[in-house]
Amino acid sequence: MYTFKQNIKNICFALIAIGIVAIGYGFYSASASHYSDVEIKEKVKELYYEMKSSKKVKDKPSDKKQYDSHSEKGHHIETYKFSNLFHAIEKELHCHFSQEEIANAHSLDDVIYRTKHYFHAQKQRPWSSLVVSNLFFLMISLGGLVWLAVQYISQSGWSASLLRIPQAVSSFLPFGGLIMLFIIVTGALHWHHTYHWMDSALTNEYVYENTIDTEHPKYTNEQANGVVENKKYDYIIDGKTAYLNIPFFIIRAVIYLLGWCLAAFLLRKFSFKEDEEGGVKWHNKMFTLSAIFIVFAAITTSTGAWDWIMSIDTHWFSTLFGWYSFASFFVSACAVIAIITIHLKWRGYLEEINANHIHDFGRYLLAFSIFWTYLWFAQYMLIWYSNIPEEVTYYTIRFESYHILIIVALILNFVGPMLLIQDRAAKRLKGQVLFVAILILLGHFIDVFVMIMPGTVGTHWHLGFVEIGTFLGYIGFFTFIVLNTLSKAPLSQKNHPMLIESEHHHI
């Protein structure tokens, strides 16, 4: 029986406290620096007209031939004019713009849009951090459940001694699932804009003219008195409303989470029954349940990735994305199971686990790291080669603003495993496999970060106290739930029919 030591609990509580402080600070900072769209629009216009009246920069040069706005010199004057305006906005509203944003602003409306986007990103930052960390650990928990089901379906003998570990990993599903539902529902209530397709402004062709400059414009799809064309209308997003609509979105999320949690609960319950009664009755039930669950998971892991990640970049689509995201979460789950197994082995538990079991974990980590890299390259290569505008926009912002993180993720998720555990002897070393598992977890957290942040905060991303602190908080939260669950049952299933094979596993 595993004993959950008080010192480990204290570390978990300390990490949870850091996470709470980080996310709390994120929300405080977002509220302290937030301006409404109306206030931003009025303030930018005020600064613009102050600059014009001061005659520091002439809006219309007298020598049109020399300073034509289409000429090179005229372009420099326009850029300089808005550069001064951006600097004035930065000083007045305490914000910051990149040189690229300044250079690409060619009108007052562009300046207003980019200023609004900055403050939207600041308000969105803590929500995006919460989404990244919660989704990462939620899907690791699901990956652990898939790993467990695969052991039963494949009738694997080597893993029979350690199946309590993926059971414990899957125990986080209800907690992560509830937080995910909270994020979705608050998005539907417009507390945040993680899923910007939820904004009715994008799916209605008309807006009531007298509400345009208010905080809550009124939109409609019907022509009526007092309505004008809605400039925010997006026909691509509107064309996806049969699938991307709030009621159906929430219903799907509930179905996913109920199905996953039910499978996790029943597999654990059946394993306890097997301990009590012996025989193969309950083992066969777990085999059947696992087979059913794998079919359900094969569908819902893809649709869940479409819903919770891909719909953030609503215009974009990829037929490989479901597999790509699953590979990321599954190898992360393998890494977590390997880390817990090695931790227990070092603590003197799981005496039957030997170098051959560690070797198998090394093979899992290496194989699925290569699989993830293959899918990463295949998705990128096909989109780059076809060069379809709706597809390449996904990579454009990531390669321009997140290229450092992409390189780091590739090094941690592919180069590291290839160099460190490709050799047979290396796969059998607990310390080396543990180190690679930690690298993989960090690398795939960065991968999820790059999946989500460009569509929620754009170029105004951070990897600071809010993001890292939230991640550390989730490490503490996840570790506490998993180890606490692990301490409530024997580490080995007593009557699993393949225990002897696991104890004598040799490769």
Side-chain angles (χ1 to χ4, degrees), residues 245-260:
N245 61 80
I246 292 173
F248 192 28
F249 192 75
I250 295 175
I251 290 170
R252 289 197 304 275
V254 171
I255 292 172
Y256 303 158
L257 295 169
L258 286 178
W260 301 339

Side-chain angles (χ1 to χ4, degrees), residues 41-51 85 92:
K41 184 177 181 179
E42 293 302 319
K43 194 63 183 177
V44 172
K45 283 186 174 180
E46 179 184 334
L47 291 171
Y48 175 70
Y49 289 119
E50 282 180 5
M51 289 178 62
L85 179 56
E92 181 72 21

Side-chain angles (χ1 to χ4, degrees), residues 240-398:
K240 298 183 179 185
T241 52
Y243 185 78
L244 288 180
N245 61 80
I246 292 173
F248 192 28
F249 192 75
I250 295 175
I251 290 170
R252 289 197 304 275
V254 171
I255 292 172
Y256 303 158
L257 295 169
L258 286 178
W260 301 339
C261 292
L262 179 62
F265 171 77
L266 290 177
L267 282 173
R268 186 169 173 82
K269 178 182 177 182
F270 290 171
S271 72
F272 290 155
K273 291 288 186 180
E274 183 181 54
D275 284 355
E276 295 171 5
E277 300 178 13
V280 295
K281 171 187 173 183
W282 293 104
H283 180 80
N284 291 336
K285 285 191 174 184
M286 284 186 278
F287 174 87
T288 303
L289 176 60
S290 296
I292 295 170
F293 167 72
I294 283 294
V295 175
F296 179 75
I299 298 169
T300 56
T301 52
S302 287
T303 55
W306 300 344
D307 288 356
W308 298 345
I309 304 177
M310 193 164 69
S311 77
I312 291 173
D313 296 273
T314 319
H315 283 196
W316 183 70
F317 55 89
S318 168
T319 55
L320 271 176
F321 191 77
W323 282 106
Y324 169 73
S325 58
F326 171 76
S328 180
F329 296 128
F330 187 74
V331 73
S332 299
C334 293
V336 167
I337 296 169
I339 290 170
I340 296 173
T341 301
I342 295 170
H343 163 71
L344 293 174
K345 183 67 178 174
W346 269 334
R347 289 281 306 277
Y349 300 99
L350 300 178
E351 294 179 0
E352 63 277 13
I353 299 300
N354 54 48
N356 299 285
H357 296 87
I358 303 302
H359 187 175
D360 278 334
F361 276 120
R363 293 197 294 187
Y364 259 106
L365 295 177
L366 181 62
F368 280 95
S369 293
I370 294 171
F371 180 58
W372 172 85
T373 309
Y374 160 72
L375 291 174
W376 187 96
F377 174 75
Q379 180 173 264
Y380 168 70
M381 185 270 294
L382 291 172
I383 290 175
W384 170 80
Y385 184 77
S386 60
N387 201 28
I388 299 173
E390 292 85 354
E391 295 182 353
V392 297
T393 52
Y394 181 83
Y395 282 104
T396 300
I397 185 173
R398 285 162 174 81

Side-chain angles (χ1 to χ4, degrees), residues 46-61 67 76-89 91:
E46 179 184 334
L47 291 171
Y48 175 70
Y49 289 119
E50 282 180 5
M51 289 178 62
K52 285 185 67 175
S53 63
S54 67
K55 303 295 184 181
K56 289 182 179 179
V57 178
K58 295 182 180 180
D59 188 38
K60 293 183 181 180
Y67 299 175
H76 288 320
I77 288 178
E78 291 293 314
T79 302
Y80 174 69
K81 174 178 67 179
F82 291 121
S83 176
N84 284 345
L85 179 56
F86 273 116
H87 293 321
I89 294 169
K91 184 177 180 180

